[in-house]
Amino acid sequence: MKKTVLGVKIDLINRQEAIEILAERIKNPQKLFHLVTAYSEFFVTAQKDAEFKEVLEKADLIIPDGVGPLAAVNYTESLDTDDSIFLKFIKGLKTGVKILKHEVGETVPGVWLFQSLIDLASKNSWKIFLLGGFDQTVFDLEQQLKIKYPNLKISVDPGQQKLEDFNDNESIEKINKFKPDLLFVAYGQIKQEKWISTNKNKLKAKIAVGVGSTFDEVTGKIPATPQIMEQLGLKWLWRLICEPKRFRRILNAYPVFPWLVFQNSI
């Protein structure tokens, strides 16, 4: 079910539906399928970055990584054309309560999706390629996965430290030689989505998805978000505690994102 948040499309599907769609794409591939796991910052960035907004428009599937987009849809659909600004504000507060009560819908967190797909890859002999993470991270993750899934078909490449023009021919050559079913790209939020979109026609893979800091979280370099904080929409707070340097990025998600949604409603 497609909805729109700040002029950007999002597919409101649950976790099981996401897995089923991706499994079908691997079974019956066409062109490379670009999956985006989006959270609040993506929609804020798209307001000022036309290139990124175009990337999102061209993506095949955009699913809610956090509760922010789900809450925005809930809030927008609760509004009536004759609502006053005050009433819209009150409805915004009610949406906040719905978040606390887990009533805005089911998120599809990137880390959960990654781990679920790796598990399925091992069981179904899917080939996976891990790109990015930089330095030793991707190799550490490879070793962890090989220990947990001895039969996993996996290849990795740390990628380039700088991707000013998003060209990465050496890595693309490695990917195309391996021909993965699943390509996970960890070049950092926004940049990785642009990289996938830019190189979409060059890549011999069935599905590509940007995974942000997932490699760090799975390897334990970043503490995993407690489930209760994720359910309450407080993953941003946990990440701020663990990585204070993310303050400026998190500011885009809270409070900039809800403010933009409210401002857009009036």
Side-chain angles (χ1 to χ4, degrees):
M1 180 169 54
K2 290 187 181 295
K3 297 293 183 178
T4 301
V5 175
L6 296 178
V8 177
K9 68 179 181 181
I10 186 166
D11 298 277
L12 296 191
I13 59 176
N14 60 36
R15 300 182 186 188
Q16 183 59 36
E17 290 169 334
I19 292 295
E20 290 174 357
I21 290 172
L22 297 177
E24 177 61 26
R25 284 289 176 170
I26 291 176
K27 182 179 179 181
N28 297 300
Q30 299 172 23
K31 62 178 183 177
L32 182 139
F33 188 84
H34 183 190
L35 167 68
V36 175
T37 59
Y39 59 100
S40 304
E41 184 186 352
F42 280 35
F43 301 91
V44 175
T45 300
Q47 306 308 300
K48 53 188 177 183
D49 186 336
E51 180 188 1
F52 182 58
K53 187 173 184 179
E54 185 178 358
V55 167
L56 295 179
E57 289 173 348
K58 291 181 178 179
D60 297 291
L61 190 69
I62 301 178
I63 56 180
D65 186 292
V67 299
L70 295 175
V73 171
N74 271 259
Y75 169 70
T76 301
E77 294 189 341
S78 73
L79 301 177
D80 294 318
T81 54
D82 58 347
D83 284 346
S84 64
I85 293 178
F86 177 73
L87 184 55
K88 289 178 178 179
F89 177 74
I90 295 300
K91 287 185 174 181
L93 295 179
K94 289 182 177 180
T95 301
V97 173
K98 291 180 71 175
I99 292 175
L100 298 178
K101 296 170 69 175
H102 319 308
E103 294 178 353
V104 294
E106 184 177 61
T107 61
V108 188
V111 174
W112 175 88
L113 185 65
F114 174 80
Q115 293 174 320
S116 299
L117 290 174
I118 294 297
D119 186 64
L120 285 173
S122 176
K123 295 175 180 176
N124 293 283
S125 297
W126 296 342
K127 294 193 293 183
I128 69 165
F129 196 105
L130 309 182
L131 174 65
F134 308 120
D135 301 324
Q136 187 63 28
T137 301
V138 72
F139 298 109
D140 292 342
L141 179 56
E142 179 187 26
Q143 290 306 309
Q144 286 187 19
L145 293 177
K146 283 183 175 179
I147 291 172
K148 186 174 182 179
Y149 303 102
N151 298 320
L152 184 65
K153 298 177 180 179
I154 182 172
S155 183
V156 307
D157 180 41
Q160 297 182 9
Q161 294 288 347
K162 295 183 179 180
L163 290 168
E164 296 177 359
D165 57 3
F166 299 103
N167 288 324
D168 193 359
N169 293 328
E170 186 176 337
S171 296
I172 291 173
E173 185 177 341
K174 291 180 182 178
I175 293 167
N176 290 346
K177 185 177 180 179
F178 188 65
K179 295 181 180 178
D181 295 294
L182 290 159
L183 168 62
F184 297 101
V185 183
Y187 274 156
Q189 311 291 4
I190 313 300
K191 182 180 290 186
Q192 64 201 11
E193 280 72 34
K194 290 183 177 180
W195 186 91
I196 293 171
S197 185
T198 298
N199 296 293
K200 191 171 183 178
N201 294 327
K202 301 178 184 178
L203 295 166
K204 294 180 180 179
K206 295 178 181 177
I207 295 171
V209 53
V211 292
S213 57
T214 292
F215 293 176
D216 287 327
E217 193 163 336
V218 174
T219 56
K221 293 184 179 181
I222 296 176
T225 307
Q227 186 175 2
I228 184 62
M229 295 192 76
E230 192 164 301
Q231 291 175 339
L232 294 175
L234 296 175
K235 183 176 181 177
W236 62 272
L237 178 59
W238 177 255
R239 295 304 294 271
L240 180 59
I241 293 171
C242 297
E243 299 178 274
K245 64 182 180 180
R246 296 171 63 95
F247 174 77
R248 293 187 68 180
R249 285 180 54 188
I250 290 172
L251 188 64
N252 274 336
Y254 300 92
V256 175
F257 174 71
W259 167 248
L260 286 177
V261 173
F262 176 70
Q263 187 180 54
N264 189 62
S265 75
I266 58 177

